[in-house]
Amino acid sequence: MNGSASEAEKRRHLRDFIGHVAETGGTLFIVGDLFDFWFEYKHVIPKAYFDTLTVLNEAKLNGVDLHFVPGNHDFWIREFLDGTLFNEIHADGVTTEIAGKRFLISHGDGLLSWDRGYRMLRSVLRNRLFVFLYRWLHPDFGYAIAKHLSRNGNYNHHTPEYKRAVVTNLTEYCEEQCKNGIDYVIMGHYHQHKEIQLENGRFLILGDWINYHSYGYFDGEQLSLKSWGADHSDD
Ligand SMILES: [Mn+2]
């Protein structure tokens, strides 16, 4: 995260959104990449996310059931996120039933059929030995490396054709899941904002908080994709 005006604005919207959830109550699943980089040490957590952590803690104290599905930027969790801040962590996504509907909630990375190389890289980055060794780097150094890598991420440079191929491939995956008893598949990661009706279910790609300020909302009957700001006139 950087110190620009747009970053401050984005964070304000996020705080307002989480504050709204704290007022209305319910369950909040955060579907990964909440942080540019989260690497938790035994005794140290990063200060850059203080505002987000604070508002999440407020929501939890107000009774919101807080769940986190780590993404590829914030997988390296210990006791602070897992137990102190969130009620539950779902490292590999989760299948859960809410009001009679079966949800599959996943960050979504590594699901593309052609993503073999990424899946191998991911298994290294999640490997216990790799994590153990990385933890011995000084946090300032460990965070500097990750910040550099994160800046070089190129999700914005995908062609429209590639983005369409991603949706087609993910939709095939979701069709398969929904044939096997899932009603709703929800994922993040792909920076696309899609709501797709399947033969046996429904598929949401949640967009992101960079361009869309978007989130999925389940009222107990209907699941929909919404944008914070579009339904709130206070901005
Ligand atoms: Mn991701």
Side-chain angles (χ1 to χ4, degrees):
M1 295 193 179
N2 56 55
S4 67
S6 65
E7 174 70 19
E9 181 79 353
K10 187 175 78 183
R11 284 182 175 222
R12 185 176 67 78
H13 281 296
L14 183 62
R15 288 198 304 276
D16 289 350
F17 169 70
I18 297 169
H20 177 74
V21 177
E23 278 170 24
T24 56
T27 302
L28 178 64
F29 279 85
I30 295 184
V31 188
D33 294 351
L34 174 64
F35 310 106
D36 269 350
F37 179 58
W38 180 274
F39 191 96
E40 197 177 318
Y41 299 81
K42 189 173 178 188
H43 298 293
V44 176
I45 58 166
K47 69 177 182 183
Y49 313 122
F50 180 65
D51 55 349
T52 307
L53 300 174
T54 307
V55 75
L56 282 169
N57 192 48
E58 282 294 314
K60 188 184 174 187
L61 293 174
N62 275 297
V64 174
D65 189 17
L66 272 187
H67 294 247
F68 189 56
V69 179
N72 48 305
H73 288 252
D74 44 24
F75 178 76
W76 301 275
I77 284 167
R78 288 182 66 132
E79 300 81 6
F80 178 74
L81 288 195
D82 189 358
T84 304
L85 190 63
F86 286 95
N87 296 102
E88 274 192 71
I89 300 284
H90 308 281
D92 296 303
V94 59
T95 303
T96 187
E97 189 166 322
I98 305 170
K101 297 287 185 187
R102 299 281 297 166
F103 285 75
L104 171 59
I105 305 173
S106 159
H107 181 62
D109 58 322
L111 292 179
L112 296 169
S113 60
W114 57 80
D115 252 356
R116 252 187 222 111
Y118 171 74
R119 284 192 285 273
M120 280 176 65
L121 172 67
R122 187 178 64 174
S123 66
V124 172
L125 296 177
R126 289 179 166 206
N127 178 274
R128 290 170 77 98
L129 178 63
F130 173 83
V131 175
F132 174 80
L133 294 174
Y134 202 90
R135 191 162 281 134
W136 286 104
L137 296 176
H138 188 281
D140 286 348
F141 187 55
Y143 269 79
I145 295 173
K147 200 172 177 182
H148 177 74
L149 293 175
S150 175
R151 252 187 214 157
N152 291 335
N154 63 351
Y155 68 89
N156 269 333
H157 310 304
H158 291 147
T159 63
E161 291 75 24
Y162 181 79
K163 287 181 177 175
R164 274 196 293 276
V166 165
V167 173
T168 304
N169 198 265
L170 293 172
T171 302
E172 284 167 16
Y173 167 84
C174 294
E175 294 273 16
E176 205 54 43
Q177 300 300 317
C178 292
K179 272 183 206 154
N180 293 310
I182 299 292
D183 296 298
Y184 298 129
V185 185
I186 298 175
M187 63 182 75
H189 184 65
Y190 292 98
H191 297 275
Q192 298 201 52
H193 184 259
K194 300 276 176 196
E195 196 168 9
I196 297 167
Q197 187 62 43
L198 308 170
E199 204 181 318
N200 300 303
R202 197 168 180 75
F203 169 36
L204 298 193
I205 313 179
L206 290 172
D208 58 36
W209 208 264
I210 300 168
N211 296 310
Y212 302 104
H213 295 174
S214 48
Y215 60 100
Y217 180 72
F218 180 59
D219 63 7
E221 288 176 14
Q222 300 281 333
L223 175 70
S224 51
L225 189 55
K226 293 182 171 235
S227 285
W228 181 255
D231 14 60
H232 289 82
S233 53
D234 60 339
D235 56 334

